[in-house]
Amino acid sequence: MATATQNKIVAMPASEGLWASFGRLSRRPEVGSFLGMIAVFLFFAIFAGQVFVSPAGFASWLNVAAEIGIVALPIGLLMIAGDLDLSIGAVIPAASLTVAIISGYYGAPDSVGIAAALVLGLLVGFVNGYLVLRTGVPSLIVTIGVMFAVMGLTLGFAVMLTGSTSTAIVPDAISKALFGQFIAGMFQITIFWWILFAVIFAWLLHVSPYGNWIFAMGGDKESARNAGIPTERLTIALFMISGFCAAFIGVSQAMVYQSAQVAAGQSFIFNSIMCVVIGGVLLTGGFGSVVGVVLGTITFAMVNQGIFFTTFDPNLGSVIIGALLLVAVLMNDTFRKMALSYSPKSKK
Amino acid sequence: MNNLDIGYLVRRPEAGSVLSLVVVIAFFVIFGGVHLGNLLSAASWVNFAANLGIVALPVGLLMIAGELDISIGAMIPAGSMSIAVVSGYYELPIVVGIAVSLGLGVLVGLLNGILAVRTSVPSLIITLGTLVAMQGIVLTASVLITGNASVPLNAPEWTKMIFGQLLGGQYQVIILWWLALTAIYAAVLHQTRFGNWIFAMGGDKESARNAGIPTRRLTVWLFVLSSTSASFVGMCGAILFNSAQVSGGMNYIFNAVVSVVVGGVLLTGGFGSALGIFFGTITFAIVNQGIYFTSIDRNWSSLIIGIMLLVAVLMNNTFRNMALRLPPKKL
């Protein structure tokens, strides 16, 4: 039982000594992902030429990065806390279809459809968290089960209600402006949502006391609980956040493409995990940063989209991503060992 | 353990999977109005189960040992593509194609295994990396070499007999391979010391190593086994259908994991059985393919699979707790 006594755990100011020494810098989780991003950017700037560094080139990968990024952020938090969530792959199309069926097919106001979709995401997240806590089964398996179930429910209800697996929606002016707008004709508004989400998550993980709790949980759940951290509530909250973010992407996809399909979303599962790992988060938990996750997402999206501007076969993109992932993983491993073996500097 | 004691039976890892198989069939018969004979003799799910089962068995062994291999999703198309390129496009003898196809499996398995034992990175992430990389390599290579994402292959008679025959016009010969492999896995896992080692590793790797079990070598070999099995399935597919397709391996990842878990294996390792995985695969295949024989809309099959998995997970946990608490029988 989680005790209600929540000892205030004093947050260590994360920014302190950021530039203090190179040794310290190289131990930060985002260094590897930053270097990777620079390397990938230079690679494509050279091989893809002018197009890649033009606004259109930036837009192409930023649009992709924003969609994955909003999902990758909560996945990163979950992974830092030592859990995984694969059900997002089913929540994204489920939310998309919910808003399309309620607001498009039945013609209810957009706000009702959007609210329903977001609540659906929170609900799935709650189920995930609750099952993980109650059963003690690894979240990988639990969320695979929930993924299949949500997928089946989405398919079943979509066909039962509308007779088809894809539904059209014409967003009204406000929701179009909020979720489906293209700024300057090419930058999806999702990019700004992503920035907002990233700032909130960065505050959550690195400034607020919850961040320390998340790290503590990922490091050692048992000890974290003994230290008075409400691990159960926190786990459920994290799963609900990730369900919410997935639903958010589902809603914004429906608004951008003006239609919702059952089959969208599967690719998000592994893509978001890869972004997070390239961003320096350890799957074993307790190590990572929001900046790292953002950089990892950018790297992933650059490779994913940049390859189309080059003369290379587009399929080479996944070879690069796979290689990046393995390199990132090996580097993270080394960095983590360095971080753990690092003796704190004596006060200057 | 010839004792037909209910307490013992219910505590065996495969009890849950047999139970869920019975429940699923009963559900289909009662609510789907399916004719039992038609369902059980249908080739569609048996073929599906055989292909899935050959991959699910080594994946299950890995899970018993506490590891995970999702690179199988790329190894199935890789196995099928490599034999088609070598023996179909370059027209080398089929034996060379088979060797290249299986050799590729061994190679990727070695890479997975060595990375898994040398680093402290979870095998999920390592195999995710090799999954994506292999996908890219297979696609790029096939497009670069043949200019096409689908390569024809004309296998000689005898290889068709062994790997790609249709028995009775509809049952793939791979079913026999599956049955034989299940028997072999069951024997190895439950009768030999290797099996004991695998269970010991999954239970507690550190202690297993201290007890003198070569955990590293064993882990590497298990990874080799799973990715070679995957390329074997891909190879058989290419021989059967006379062509190799690059797409369509990704579904195997989740399908195999679900089959294994429904079959009573714990992801945390140390608990499971080959027979359980066998029944888990059958259950999965019947839900996935058998639903076409029922009056139930096939779109609900994912929901059934999801619920089945969650129930299986809950039951496995209960069974395991029961198994751990069971007092040893007096002889």
Side-chain angles (χ1 to χ4, degrees):
Chain A
M1 278 295 98
T3 45
T5 45
Q6 297 159 19
N7 298 331
K8 267 275 183 290
I9 286 157
V10 186
M12 271 219 312
S15 58
E16 185 222 7
L18 180 60
W19 302 102
S21 74
F22 180 75
R24 199 142 173 197
L25 185 67
S26 74
R27 283 173 181 89
R28 292 192 56 84
E30 56 268 12
V31 173
S33 49
F34 183 70
L35 293 178
M37 188 188 75
I38 296 292
V40 164
F41 183 80
L42 289 178
F43 177 85
F44 284 110
I46 293 168
F47 285 98
Q50 278 302 310
V51 201
F52 185 71
V53 289
S54 73
F58 271 82
S60 79
W61 59 259
L62 271 174
N63 290 342
V64 171
E67 285 194 351
I68 305 176
I70 292 182
V71 184
L73 285 167
I75 297 291
L77 249 57
L78 269 175
M79 277 172 67
I80 292 175
D83 276 312
L84 264 177
D85 185 359
L86 304 190
S87 68
I88 49 158
V91 172
I92 294 174
S96 242
L97 271 166
T98 306
V99 70
I101 287 175
I102 292 181
S103 303
Y105 188 77
Y106 287 117
D110 277 6
S111 50
V112 177
I114 293 171
L118 295 179
V119 167
L120 177 85
L122 288 172
L123 200 71
V124 174
F126 180 80
V127 171
N128 279 332
Y130 185 79
L131 285 177
V132 166
L133 288 178
R134 277 289 152 269
T135 62
V137 173
S139 45
L140 174 75
I141 296 292
V142 170
T143 54
I144 289 181
V146 172
M147 177 187 79
F148 271 104
V150 172
M151 212 148 57
L153 283 172
T154 312
L155 267 166
F157 275 118
V159 172
M160 203 164 81
L161 296 176
T162 69
S164 140
T165 52
S166 85
T167 307
I169 175 174
V170 183
D172 62 29
I174 303 170
S175 44
K176 181 81 186 160
L178 275 178
F179 299 107
Q181 197 187 161
F182 282 87
I183 289 167
M186 52 177 107
F187 294 98
Q188 272 181 35
I189 187 131
T190 326
I191 298 170
F192 297 93
W193 282 107
W194 179 36
I195 297 172
L196 180 71
F197 273 79
V199 171
I200 296 173
F201 275 96
W203 176 82
L204 204 66
L205 187 65
H206 300 298
V207 181
S208 80
Y210 301 109
N212 262 340
W213 290 359
I214 293 171
F215 280 113
M217 252 173 71
D220 186 342
K221 194 166 255 173
E222 199 66 31
S223 316
R225 203 172 61 180
N226 292 343
I229 296 174
T231 52
E232 304 208 332
R233 244 188 304 152
L234 199 58
T235 308
I236 290 185
L238 284 176
F239 275 108
M240 286 175 77
I241 293 173
S242 103
F244 177 86
C245 288
F248 184 89
I249 283 303
V251 168
S252 89
Q253 276 188 341
M255 296 302 177
V256 172
Y257 305 116
Q258 311 212 339
S259 90
Q261 253 123 34
V262 172
Q266 283 285 318
S267 60
F268 275 85
I269 303 174
F270 290 136
N271 287 356
S272 62
I273 297 179
M274 285 189 271
C275 291
V276 170
V277 174
I278 293 175
V281 174
L282 291 185
L283 184 63
T284 38
F287 194 73
S289 76
V290 168
V291 179
V293 173
V294 170
L295 294 179
T297 311
I298 292 177
T299 314
F300 178 87
M302 271 197 223
V303 177
N304 208 323
Q305 294 299 306
I307 199 85
F308 290 105
F309 296 115
T310 67
T311 52
F312 300 120
D313 187 279
N315 298 313
L316 263 181
S318 41
V319 183
I320 300 179
I321 291 172
L324 261 178
L325 182 73
L326 290 179
V327 170
V329 153
L330 296 181
M331 280 195 356
N332 289 353
D333 211 35
T334 319
F335 280 143
R336 192 191 139 92
K337 270 183 204 136
M338 280 167 67
L340 287 179
S341 63
Y342 177 68
S343 49
K345 270 220 142 86
S346 47
K347 274 267 184 314
K348 300 164 282 208
Chain B
M1 239 181 284
N2 296 323
N3 209 327
L4 272 178
D5 182 340
I6 291 293
Y8 254 110
L9 271 184
V10 119
R11 283 173 179 90
R12 294 192 54 80
E14 56 267 18
S17 53
V18 174
L19 205 63
S20 49
L21 180 60
V22 171
V23 169
V24 161
I25 292 177
F27 182 80
F28 276 6
V29 168
I30 295 168
F31 294 99
V34 74
H35 187 264
L36 198 59
N38 286 351
L39 179 67
L40 292 183
S41 63
S44 65
W45 71 262
V46 189
N47 289 338
F48 182 88
N51 281 292
L52 179 60
I54 291 180
V55 182
L57 282 164
V59 168
L61 251 56
L62 268 174
M63 277 171 67
I64 293 176
E67 304 280 351
L68 201 61
D69 184 2
I70 62 171
S71 67
I72 49 162
M75 287 318 296
I76 293 172
S80 120
M81 194 45 99
S82 50
I83 187 174
V85 166
V86 171
S87 300
Y89 187 76
Y90 286 121
E91 298 179 342
L92 290 170
I94 192 81
V95 188
V96 180
I98 295 175
V100 169
S101 176
L102 296 181
L104 191 67
V106 173
L107 210 67
V108 173
L110 279 176
L111 181 68
N112 281 335
I114 289 171
L115 282 177
V117 297
R118 288 251 173 254
T119 67
S120 63
V121 182
S123 43
L124 171 71
I125 297 293
I126 292 173
T127 54
L128 178 61
T130 45
L131 168 81
V132 179
M134 277 312 291
Q135 256 173 350
I137 290 172
V138 169
L139 275 165
T140 314
S142 72
V143 170
L144 277 186
I145 295 173
T146 68
N148 204 327
S150 151
V151 185
L153 167 75
N154 267 319
E157 236 4 81
W158 66 270
T159 36
K160 282 221 130 197
M161 282 282 289
I162 302 176
F163 300 112
Q165 199 189 159
L166 284 180
L167 301 168
Q170 50 178 354
Y171 296 99
Q172 295 176 14
V173 71
I174 203 170
I175 297 167
L176 300 180
W177 280 94
W178 176 43
L179 296 176
L181 284 169
T182 305
I184 295 172
Y185 279 114
V188 170
L189 190 60
H190 303 299
Q191 307 294 335
T192 70
R193 58 189 180 140
F194 297 107
N196 258 340
W197 289 356
I198 292 172
F199 280 111
M201 255 172 69
D204 185 342
K205 193 165 259 173
E206 201 65 31
S207 318
R209 207 175 55 190
N210 292 343
I213 296 172
T215 52
R216 291 179 154 223
R217 228 178 331 138
L218 200 59
T219 309
V220 173
W221 284 118
L222 285 175
F223 274 107
V224 169
L225 203 60
S226 78
S227 66
T228 313
S229 303
S231 61
F232 177 81
V233 168
M235 185 189 84
C236 291
I239 293 174
L240 172 66
F241 299 115
N242 296 321
S243 92
Q245 243 86 48
V246 227
S247 56
M250 289 300 276
N251 289 336
Y252 276 85
I253 301 175
F254 291 135
N255 293 359
V257 173
V258 172
S259 303
V260 168
V261 175
V262 170
V265 174
L266 292 184
L267 184 65
T268 38
F271 193 73
S273 76
L275 209 58
I277 300 170
F278 179 77
F279 282 118
T281 314
I282 293 182
T283 315
F284 185 91
I286 286 188
V287 175
N288 199 302
Q289 299 292 314
I291 196 143
Y292 291 102
F293 293 87
T294 68
S295 54
I296 307 168
D297 188 84
R298 71 180 163 81
N299 292 314
W300 295 107
S301 71
S302 292
L303 177 65
I304 301 177
I305 289 171
I307 291 176
M308 202 171 72
L309 178 69
L310 292 175
V311 171
V313 154
L314 293 178
M315 287 200 330
N316 289 354
N317 249 29
T318 319
F319 283 143
R320 189 190 141 94
N321 286 343
M322 282 166 69
L324 287 178
R325 265 190 326 222
L326 180 73
K329 263 219 132 111
K330 287 184 189 91
L331 285 173

